[in-house]
């Protein structure tokens, strides 16, 4: 068994590898090393790390650029086409994307911002408009589905001279609007009800208004307004 004496700092206890021959760039010459498979990197550690970071950005960016979404987007744009809509008595020919909702078209292409977008998923009724006599949630209706339809928004409810519709007047008298965000949808639903049933029972009115939520909880006020308006139409 091998034994060691006291530690002697002059002794190389763990000898390292034999020194490599100096690389001269000339292969197999006397005194020169074999041509290595690598080239010496004249690069600082900082520059090396910077290069690694940049390559990560390039790889990430290329995966985005060449992902499947790019051609799909291009296709989407390519099939945009013209739609004819009659809104509040005015006919418009507008270019809309295939996946564009009526609420978007009304608000952002036609500037009719009275139609509100609350939940944007067919739950609150803030976006209610009338299409060919039927109330619809414009946030969940594709504009292409209602092409050539007659649309009525809140902007088309009052008379051209600014006279309020009996529903609007009754809602004011009953102090129905609180924050007012749901009010355009409430008005449109009530008008559509009275257009097809001018003398609804309170249960019929409640049912007709049930698709319009009010965060302020002014349901009774709106209901009383509908019943009051029904006496005036
Ligand atoms: S925004 Fe359309 S139903 Fe809520
Ligand atoms: S009045 Fe505020 S949400 Fe109905």
């Amino acid at each position: 068994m091998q034994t060691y004496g006291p530690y002697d700092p002059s002794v190389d206890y763990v000898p390292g590898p034999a020194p490599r021959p100096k690389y001269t760039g000339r292969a197999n010459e006397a005194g020169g090393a074999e041509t290595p498979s690598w080239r010496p990197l004249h690069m600082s550690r900082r520059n090396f790390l910077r290069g690694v970071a940049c390559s990560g950005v390039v790889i990430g960016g290329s995966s985005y650029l060449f992902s499947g979404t790019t051609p799909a987007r291009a296709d989407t744009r390519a099939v945009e086409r013209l739609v004819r809509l009659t809104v509040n008595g005015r006919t418009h020919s507008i270019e809309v994307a295939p996946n564009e909702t009526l609420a978007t078209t009304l608000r952002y292409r036609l500037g009719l911002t009275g139609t509100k977008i609350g939940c944007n998923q067919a739950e609150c009724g803030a976006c209610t408009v009338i299409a060919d006599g039927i109330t619809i949630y414009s946030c969940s209706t594709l504009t292409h589905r209602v092409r050539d339809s007659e649309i009525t928004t809140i902007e088309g409810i009052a008379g051209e001279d600014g006279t309020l519709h009996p529903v609007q007047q009754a809602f004011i008298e009953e102090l129905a609007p609180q924050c007012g965000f749901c009010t355009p949808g409430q008005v449109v639903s009530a008008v559509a009800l009275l257009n097809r049933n001018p003398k609804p029972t309170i249960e019929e009115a409640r049912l007709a208004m049930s698709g319009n939520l009010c965060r302020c909880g002014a349901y009774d006020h709106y209901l009383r307004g509908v019943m009051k308006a029904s006496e005036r139409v």
Side-chain angles (χ1 to χ4, degrees):
M1 187 173 141
Q2 189 175 1
T3 57
Y4 296 96
Y7 174 70
D8 181 353
S10 65
V11 174
D12 188 3
Y13 291 104
V14 186
R20 296 172 67 97
K22 190 163 179 268
Y23 174 66
T24 63
R26 295 184 295 274
N28 302 324
E29 281 187 6
E34 294 230 341
T35 305
S37 59
W38 48 270
R39 307 299 276 181
L41 280 175
H42 302 291
M43 183 183 284
S44 70
R45 182 171 173 272
R46 174 174 299 175
N47 284 341
F48 173 75
L49 291 175
R50 200 175 278 157
V52 169
C54 289
S55 67
V57 171
V58 170
I59 290 168
S62 61
S63 67
Y64 170 75
L65 285 174
F66 299 107
S67 68
T69 60
T70 304
R73 275 201 201 163
D75 289 347
T76 300
R77 279 197 293 271
V79 294
E80 281 182 356
R81 55 178 187 263
L82 225 53
V83 159
R84 202 168 57 124
L85 274 186
T86 303
V87 183
N88 302 329
R90 280 189 59 192
T91 301
H92 305 265
S93 289
I94 36 180
E95 229 179 53
V96 299
N99 58 351
E100 185 170 315
T101 64
L102 181 57
T104 302
T105 304
L106 292 173
R107 287 178 57 83
Y108 304 116
R109 293 197 192 273
L110 300 181
L112 299 172
T113 53
T115 298
K116 301 301 179 208
I117 297 178
C119 64
N120 207 20
Q121 53 184 20
E123 284 180 359
C124 73
C127 63
T128 305
V129 299
I130 302 172
D132 293 335
I134 308 288
T135 50
I136 58 170
Y137 288 159
S138 61
C139 74
S140 309
T141 303
L142 294 180
T143 305
H144 280 277
R145 283 211 64 185
V146 290
R147 61 194 311 161
D148 299 322
S149 296
E150 299 248 349
I151 309 290
T152 304
T153 69
I154 185 65
E155 289 89 348
I157 299 293
E160 283 186 4
D161 60 352
T163 309
L164 294 182
H165 188 281
V167 165
Q168 293 170 305
Q169 187 59 44
F171 279 4
I172 292 171
E173 291 170 14
E174 291 298 326
L175 302 176
Q178 301 297 306
C179 75
F181 193 82
C182 71
T183 305
Q186 305 272 10
V187 170
V188 169
S189 289
V191 169
L193 166 67
L194 298 184
N195 283 349
R196 65 176 187 276
N197 180 7
K199 301 296 175 204
T201 64
I202 193 157
E203 277 314 312
E204 287 171 333
R206 198 190 300 277
L207 188 64
M209 303 295 289
S210 63
N212 293 81
L213 304 186
C214 175
R215 287 176 300 183
C216 302
Y219 295 105
D220 285 345
H221 297 254
Y222 283 116
L223 199 55
R224 281 202 299 275
V226 176
M227 299 314 288
K228 183 179 264 190
S230 73
E231 296 164 6
R232 300 173 180 172
V233 292

